[in-house]
Amino acid sequence: MQATTQSHPAVSIPADHAVAMPAYVERSHLVVQDLPMVSNWYQRILGLTPIESGANGETLGVAGRPLLTLTTERNAAKAPRSAPGLFHTAFLVPNRRDLAHWLAHAAHNNIRLQGASDHLVSEAVYLADPEGNGIEVYRDRSRGEWNYQPDGTVAMSTLPLDLQALYNEAPKDHWEGIAEGTAIGHIHLQVSDIPQADAFFRDALGLDLMARYPGASFFATGKYHHHVAANIWNSRGASKRQSNMTGLADYTIRFNDIAKLATALGKLEELEIPVSTEGSVHSLVDPWGIGLLLVAA
């Protein structure tokens, strides 16, 4: 199952929202071993709803907007923790109240969290699905609260998040799924080399380098804090991802700025990175063996 060019339902989003930028991550595609179990978990715990289904896959989303495709393969082998691929898919909810509402739902279902952080630009809660695929659920602070540096980067940190205070702000009414307007705010990848990641995401795809951590780079368009992150914390020097692994098969970057897409395609051709085109969908495999779809708005 691949990305389509279908139009999305009209949802009012702020002009500075992650998905209103010149390019953004639209959806993620995971290969799983137990499709019914994992799909049910994303519906029950994350609150996504089915949009499209087939014999070997299912697409889930919010209010008709596709966000996550799950497929299964008979010979899929469990990806090792050190393999390039997914660190986490980050689901961006509209506001802190919505984050609190989801947190209360997770707590009431005894979901084990892996962490919670205040990143200055955002507040985030971390967990994993039943097959170990990383997930972040987060809300952005207003851009007026972000601290941009003279070089154009943005200040981010990893500070403790007071989960009890967040939980206390949750609405008391029944939770009926993740909030309408939720989108994939960013995707965080495991790669084998940071200079190689800079060369691919910044120099080839034309994303701006927005921040660095030790062993990680953060890229975005429109001065967002990051649409794509790449780290080597578990995967330094790892060989390419194998095609029969579970985990991240591919992800989609949608370009609102067609000229930016044309520039990226030209650079990929110059670098002799093979790209196949079908309609407005341009498919390639990145330097770490992860599929990438570049889609025109």
Side-chain angles (χ1 to χ4, degrees), residues 2-21:
Q2 289 194 337
T4 67
T5 56
Q6 67 187 33
S7 59
H8 301 138
V11 175
S12 177
I13 60 170
D16 60 359
H17 192 278
V19 304
M21 297 301 96

Side-chain angles (χ1 to χ4, degrees), residues 40-54:
N40 177 267
W41 187 92
Y42 275 99
Q43 293 176 56
R44 183 173 58 89
I45 300 304
L46 210 60
L48 305 183
T49 55
I51 294 174
E52 182 182 350
S53 62

Side-chain angles (χ1 to χ4, degrees), residues 25 27-32 42 67-71 73 77 79 83-89 129 131-134 184 186-191 201 228-229 241-252 285-286 288-292:
V25 175
R27 60 199 292 182
S28 176
H29 170 198
L30 304 178
V31 173
V32 300
Y42 275 99
L67 299 180
L68 179 67
T69 294
L70 302 171
T71 58
E73 297 176 7
L86 185 70
F87 192 67
H88 60 244
T89 302
D129 73 18
E131 293 196 2
N133 296 295
I184 291 182
H186 64 268
I187 195 164
H188 195 145
L189 307 175
Q190 295 195 158
V191 301
F201 292 109
V228 178
R241 177 181 180 80
Q242 300 302 304
S243 60
N244 67 333
M245 285 180 177
T246 59
L248 185 64
D250 59 66
Y251 62 102
T252 302
V285 177
D286 73 14
W288 311 282
I290 305 165
L292 173 58

